[in-house]
Amino acid sequence: MTKKFTKDHEWVLVEGDIATVGVSDFAQSQLGDVVFVELPEAGRELEQGKEAAVVESVKAASDVYAPVSGTVIEANQALVDDPSMVNSAAETDGWFFKIQLKDASELDALMDEAAYKAFVEESH
Amino acid sequence: MTEAATALKTTPLHALHVELGARMVPFAGYDMPVQYPLGILKEHQHTREKAGLFDVSHMGQVRLTGADPAAALETLVPGDIKGLAQGRMRYTLFLNEQGGILDDLMVTNAGDHLFLVVNAACKEQDVAHLREKLAGKAEVELLDDLALMALQGPMAAEVMARFVPEAATMKFMSYLSATFKGVPVILTRSGYTGEDGYEISCDKADAEMIARALLAESEVEAIGLGARDSLRLEAGLCLYGHDIDTTTTPVEGALEWTLPKRRRAEGGFPGYDIIHRQLTEGATRRRVGIQPEGRQPAREHTEIRDANGTLIGEITSGGFGPTAGAPVAMGYVDIANSAVGTPLTLVVRGKPLPARVAATPFVPQRYYRG
């Protein structure tokens, strides 16, 4: 299963019709030390590109957008308890939430890892 | 480099910041390090545990000379400047005719002159203000050939003593003219973190040598503006332009301690009538510490509501306090809700966040009293 990325620096990993969402390692390096996350509750409907979660670093608050539309099935409680996991494991244990995909074709517009890497290098 | 960045001024330590891998941001017209690779959280903790070196060369250093510069300066600030002993310093405020705060500053009695340190963003207007109001009474010189650094933290004294042995016994808020590895420096035992430490004023040409010498000590790390802000917020110290400004008086700003008895009785500073009335009758609002419940920080401009949901003020500084291990903030509330312990509701992204009025500092200050 390949990981896809958005221009807003979220990643999404799809297994079957379940998508796991987090922020990229590049995003966490830009955010700095994360001290708080606010995650969507299970059952909430998310729309692609709309606000889904909030991440606060020592510096500032940032919105996390839904990379794809769907219904939240689980939020990462371990991340709520230890927000620094966004920094230490952004693209693994530091996932934000899982959603039931509404429309798998939305994934087509997202970048693969190589394209995202090029996007980051180009824009920063 | 972008066009905006090229227009920014730099400090004498700019190349060193870049070499150390700092993330540079525009601040008060200068390209300044917001953080180094260590990151704000660890830089903050390092300063509280060991010692941190800050470049504050963007701040204004001003020399005031004349027949009686203390008497002259007292016409612009409410502090006791005439009573300041040689070698001692104090915090005071430039006030406008409404009692509003034009800037906050440190004043040192350096014997043959007064030495002022003012905020970077205000330094040009402060100097213009001093020159206009003190014309014929004092000479005002902006010392832009000087750099300024701060060494802060519980190990600052031990580190500084390796270079300037007599620094060890300096009292908090005192001044010393000394030599650091052969070059002249002015040390004050002061800072903006709530920790023991020094500010080091030196010639621009000597700044990098001094910074490298201090950073070579195992206890010292370079610390950026990000941690400087979280350190001062935990220490309950105001940031000019945020917690205090031209619309806030020293009484509203909970800075009555800057208004000594003689000046309260005699007046003779701008805004005296308003400030005297507020001291007597009370002000309608007050700056307080605010402790949000839970872990979510409440940032500047967050609305503050009382138990009934009425808007009673806003947060002027807020973030996460790494040493407090919790969000910390300060802001203005109406006087009826200003007592420590009063429950408040903060409105963060449209949602209510419970909080309480809290005593400041959020962490104990550890100044060296001798």
Side-chain angles (χ1 to χ4, degrees):
Chain A
M1 200 57 242
T2 59
K3 194 183 268 180
K4 294 251 184 164
F5 293 84
T6 71
K7 289 183 176 176
D8 298 315
H9 308 288
E10 292 92 14
W11 59 263
V12 54
L13 184 70
V14 179
E15 289 162 290
D17 60 350
I18 304 300
T20 305
V21 176
V23 300
S24 72
D25 195 55
F26 173 78
Q28 73 76 20
S29 74
Q30 294 294 303
L31 286 166
D33 304 298
V34 172
V35 295
F36 175 81
V37 293
E38 184 182 294
L39 303 181
E41 285 170 23
R44 190 171 137 194
E45 297 287 331
L46 298 179
E47 193 180 332
Q48 185 179 34
K50 294 285 162 61
E51 290 162 22
V54 175
V55 56
E56 299 230 16
S57 71
V58 178
K59 267 186 297 190
S62 307
D63 287 312
V64 175
Y65 303 101
V68 285
S69 305
T71 308
V72 177
I73 55 168
E74 187 185 355
N76 187 358
Q77 186 57 41
L79 195 64
V80 174
D81 297 339
D82 180 9
S84 73
M85 277 168 55
V86 177
N87 298 115
S88 60
E91 297 191 21
T92 53
D93 292 344
W95 58 276
F96 276 51
F97 53 86
K98 293 182 194 239
I99 53 181
Q100 178 118 37
L101 273 182
K102 191 175 168 190
D103 178 3
S105 72
E106 284 181 346
L107 290 161
D108 298 345
L110 306 183
M111 292 173 274
D112 64 15
E113 191 136 25
Y116 176 67
K117 208 175 156 197
F119 166 74
V120 165
E121 277 168 14
E122 205 175 286
S123 52
H124 293 274
Chain B
M1 194 182 264
T2 65
E3 201 174 328
T6 53
L8 293 171
K9 289 182 272 190
T10 57
T11 74
L13 296 178
H14 189 269
L16 179 60
H17 300 315
V18 172
E19 179 187 318
L20 292 171
R23 185 177 300 168
M24 306 299 289
V25 297
F27 182 84
Y30 285 80
D31 195 34
M32 296 298 287
V34 66
Q35 65 173 86
Y36 298 88
L38 200 55
I40 295 174
L41 201 67
K42 290 198 180 75
E43 289 172 29
H44 177 114
Q45 286 159 341
H46 186 90
T47 306
R48 290 262 185 262
E49 286 159 17
K50 293 181 178 176
L53 183 69
F54 303 73
D55 179 12
V56 287
S57 300
H58 56 313
M59 296 187 77
Q61 301 182 68
V62 179
R63 186 202 308 265
L64 214 59
T65 50
D68 192 350
L73 186 60
E74 280 199 357
T75 63
L76 303 181
V77 305
D80 180 9
I81 310 301
K82 290 186 201 167
L84 194 57
Q86 185 170 339
R88 302 291 299 172
M89 66 192 295
R90 108 176 351 139
Y91 175 82
T92 192
L93 309 162
F94 285 125
L95 298 176
N96 66 23
E97 294 300 330
Q98 291 72 47
I101 301 170
L102 293 166
D103 196 5
D104 60 347
L105 68 152
M106 287 287 188
V107 182
T108 301
N109 179 350
D112 61 351
H113 67 278
L114 293 179
F115 175 63
L116 279 50
V117 177
V118 303
N119 280 299
C122 303
K123 65 184 175 184
E124 311 290 343
Q125 71 187 51
D126 288 345
V127 166
H129 179 66
L130 284 162
R131 285 189 176 137
E132 183 200 332
K133 303 289 183 185
L134 304 187
K137 291 192 278 185
E139 288 296 314
V140 182
E141 187 186 354
L142 180 62
L143 305 169
D144 47 16
D145 53 342
L146 297 182
L148 190 67
M149 289 170 263
L151 182 70
Q152 301 279 296
M155 293 182 181
E158 196 182 319
V159 170
M160 188 60 83
R162 291 175 200 148
F163 301 94
V164 185
E166 63 270 41
T169 51
M170 288 174 71
K171 298 259 195 311
F172 179 58
M173 298 296 267
S174 74
Y175 157 104
L176 178 74
S177 177
T179 303
F180 187 110
K181 293 189 82 164
V183 304
V185 291
I186 298 296
L187 299 184
T188 61
R189 198 152 196 171
S190 66
Y192 192 49
T193 60
E195 297 296 326
D196 183 22
Y198 304 87
E199 289 194 352
I200 308 149
S201 174
C202 65
D203 194 281
K204 272 184 170 176
D206 298 325
E208 189 169 329
M209 180 279 285
I210 292 170
R212 285 186 189 276
L214 291 168
L215 288 170
E217 298 300 308
S218 62
E219 299 91 341
V220 182
E221 290 284 349
I223 311 295
L225 292 179
R228 184 170 163 83
D229 191 51
S230 55
L231 287 159
R232 70 90 196 166
L233 176 55
E234 278 186 344
L237 302 171
C238 290
L239 176 60
Y240 187 78
H242 299 258
D243 307 306
I244 48 175
D245 60 25
T246 54
T247 70
T248 62
T249 70
V251 181
E252 291 164 346
L255 297 171
E256 291 95 338
W257 59 273
T258 67
L259 308 169
K261 201 184 274 183
R262 175 176 65 83
R263 304 298 320 270
R264 291 183 191 206
E266 292 175 3
F269 55 85
Y272 174 67
D273 291 347
I274 291 167
I275 288 168
H276 187 262
R277 190 167 67 235
Q278 287 186 344
L279 283 168
T280 315
E281 299 168 12
T284 58
R285 60 176 185 152
R286 187 168 183 81
R287 182 180 61 88
V288 295
I290 295 165
Q291 177 75 69
E293 280 180 21
R295 287 185 64 86
Q296 181 171 21
R299 312 277 176 181
E300 187 175 1
H301 301 308
T302 297
E303 281 182 5
I304 306 173
R305 294 181 180 272
D306 68 8
N308 304 320
T310 307
L311 183 66
I312 55 165
E314 75 170 27
I315 285 181
T316 51
S317 282
F320 191 81
T323 305
V328 291
M330 57 173 90
Y332 284 80
V333 294
D334 67 334
I335 206 76
N337 285 287
S338 63
V340 169
T342 306
L344 305 172
T345 298
L346 310 178
V347 184
V348 179
R349 282 185 295 276
K351 281 186 240 168
L353 175 67
R356 280 183 188 280
V357 175
T360 59
F362 294 98
V363 299
Q365 290 168 339
R366 296 190 287 189
Y367 302 134
Y368 181 78
R369 306 283 180 179

